[in-house]
Amino acid sequence: MIRKSKIYKYLAFTFIISSVFGISVYSFLSNRHQAIVKTKLLYTFGLVDNNWEIGKQNQKYKMLSPTFLIDEIYKSMEGPKSSRYIQLSPNEDLLWITGFEVKAVDAKTNESISNDFICHMNVDINDVNYYTNWDLKERIGKQYPRLTSLSNGFESYNYPEGYGVPIKGSDYLYITSQALNHNYPSILKKIKHEVTITHEKYNGTQKPLLSKTVFIQLPYNKNNPFEGPLSPGSNQCIPVETKNHSYMDKKGNMLSGHWVIPKGKNTYHSSISEQLDLQDSLRLHFSAIHVHPFATSIALYDKTMNQNIFKSAISNYKDKIGLIEIAPFSSKEGIWLYANHDYELVLEVDNTSNINQDMMGSMFLFFYDAELDKKIKQ
């Protein structure tokens, strides 16, 4: 029989070996994956609060995220994050989503703090259930079912008066919020994200909006994806990584939606006609925009007419990394986009830092949905 002392030695030895192996593997992970592991451990062992708090109010659905520990630099899409499903109502009443907001708060006091700690807040729908409810099954799977996104510099918005996104109260929305920290390398701070979804009951007058997601995709060398520098003006890119936000076009060329920008000014553009998939003319009323720091403008460009549909100005902080404001397109009257036109996104950047930075450029375009409007009124 093995003595207890030897069992304890074996257990201690196994623990030490496992710890050394775990630390070694952890050290080779990217910053993003280290944050995932770290957050999971903090939640599992109860070292920080890991519950979403729900506080419904009349016409506002409010929720408070679990605690995010900010303990180092977390660039865009690297920080701790958390997700959950929600229902705006326990019944099937038809509601109209009219706006979204996310803000950073101190985990202890719930007082508002700098939006420097907001990376993004995504809202996804279950497109199978959503379009089945409206007998629009042909729309299922046509695009990634993301309804909208808020991010640093674009932390809140409301649709034009009289417009919104219809949803049955009992339908599920999937909320993901992620923290950010570009500027404070020596920090140990616990924060939360407060998310608000504004809605109202349907009164027969509101008009429904259809969300279409478009984003810049740039070609890269699939054989040597991280080889640089690239020729200026080539509209090619070096991807941040090839596992995420990497796509293949119909010709087998590799494209990235998350790429590296060098120092200085550059312009990037790509076609979005295939992403828009316009079968008929649609009237655009709103744009929710997502870009990273050092972007200075983004435009929806009509290549057929050789003119901008709109161009959104983007302001950056001068004394730190971060976005102050991204101007959306918002119009009650709307502007028409046509099925026989070609469209692009055009992004201008100015990397004023001393190192390469990462970049994305995307829009959630909201069009009047005449087909859905007819079904709702029936």
Side-chain angles (χ1 to χ4, degrees), residues 270-282:
S270 72
S271 172
I272 57 168
S273 296
E274 187 174 330
Q275 297 172 33
L276 281 172
D277 190 30
L278 296 180
Q279 303 301 313
D280 199 354
S281 302
L282 288 178

Side-chain angles (χ1 to χ4, degrees), residues 102-336:
V102 60
K103 62 181 181 180
V105 299
D106 185 275
K108 291 184 178 179
T109 66
N110 281 353
E111 294 181 355
S112 296
I113 57 176
S114 171
N115 285 334
D116 288 353
F117 298 111
I118 295 174
C119 181
H120 63 253
M121 189 281 292
N122 296 332
V123 182
D124 296 345
I125 61 171
N126 183 320
D127 66 337
V128 175
N129 290 342
Y130 186 81
Y131 289 124
T132 298
N133 285 338
W134 307 117
D135 192 25
L136 293 169
K137 295 181 181 179
E138 69 279 0
R139 296 186 183 184
I140 296 172
K142 287 295 181 68
Q143 67 169 29
Y144 191 80
R146 180 146 297 157
L147 174 62
T148 193
S149 183
L150 299 177
S151 56
N152 180 235
F154 194 85
E155 297 94 4
S156 66
Y157 73 79
N158 290 296
Y159 297 113
E161 183 181 357
Y163 289 88
V165 177
I167 188 171
K168 290 185 178 180
S170 58
D171 277 359
Y172 283 97
L173 295 173
Y174 190 61
I175 309 298
T176 300
S177 209
Q178 185 169 28
L180 180 74
N181 176 28
H182 277 299
N183 299 293
Y184 311 103
S186 300
I187 187 174
L188 191 64
K189 188 174 184 64
K190 295 178 181 179
I191 72 161
K192 292 175 177 280
H193 286 173
E194 183 182 278
V195 178
T196 303
I197 302 175
T198 307
H199 60 82
E200 61 191 26
K201 289 186 177 181
Y202 179 56
N203 60 23
T205 65
Q206 301 102 320
K207 295 180 180 179
L209 292 172
L210 166 67
S211 175
K212 285 182 173 285
T213 307
V214 296
F215 54 95
I216 292 177
Q217 303 175 86
L218 299 176
Y220 66 86
N221 186 339
K222 62 183 178 181
N223 297 317
N224 295 292
F226 306 112
E227 184 179 24
L230 300 175
S231 301
S234 65
N235 201 46
Q236 296 180 356
C237 78
I238 294 175
V240 173
E241 59 175 318
T242 57
K243 293 181 180 180
N244 295 288
H245 303 286
S246 194
Y247 315 92
M248 181 182 292
D249 66 14
K250 294 179 179 179
K251 297 180 180 178
N253 299 312
M254 296 306 300
L255 309 170
S256 179
H258 188 201
W259 69 95
V260 174
I261 60 169
K263 293 182 289 184
K265 296 182 179 181
N266 283 282
T267 301
Y268 302 95
H269 60 92
S270 72
S271 172
I272 57 168
S273 296
E274 187 174 330
Q275 297 172 33
L276 281 172
D277 190 30
L278 296 180
Q279 303 301 313
D280 199 354
S281 302
L282 288 178
R283 195 171 72 232
L284 177 67
H285 289 275
F286 191 81
S287 69
I289 296 170
H290 172 74
V291 296
H292 289 181
F294 304 104
T296 56
S297 72
I298 188 168
L300 174 59
Y301 180 72
D302 186 332
K303 196 173 181 181
T304 303
M305 297 298 293
N306 195 30
Q307 64 183 23
N308 287 330
I309 302 297
F310 68 86
K311 184 176 182 178
S312 294
I314 303 167
S315 54
N316 287 257
Y317 288 103
K318 301 295 185 182
D319 56 346
K320 61 182 179 180
I321 297 175
L323 296 171
I324 302 172
E325 185 179 12
I326 304 169
F329 169 81
S330 182
S331 170
K332 188 174 181 178
E333 295 75 21
I335 188 167
W336 287 96

Side-chain angles (χ1 to χ4, degrees), residues 18-32:
S18 299
S19 299
V20 171
F21 178 75
I23 292 171
S24 298
V25 172
Y26 178 84
S27 66
F28 283 103
L29 294 177
S30 66
N31 208 35
R32 181 168 69 92

Side-chain angles (χ1 to χ4, degrees), residues 350-368:
D350 184 9
N351 181 2
T352 56
S353 73
N354 294 320
I355 59 173
N356 291 343
Q357 299 289 347
D358 59 275
M359 184 56 61
M360 299 183 79
S362 62
M363 293 184 183
F364 298 86
L365 299 175
F366 292 88
F367 299 88
Y368 168 57

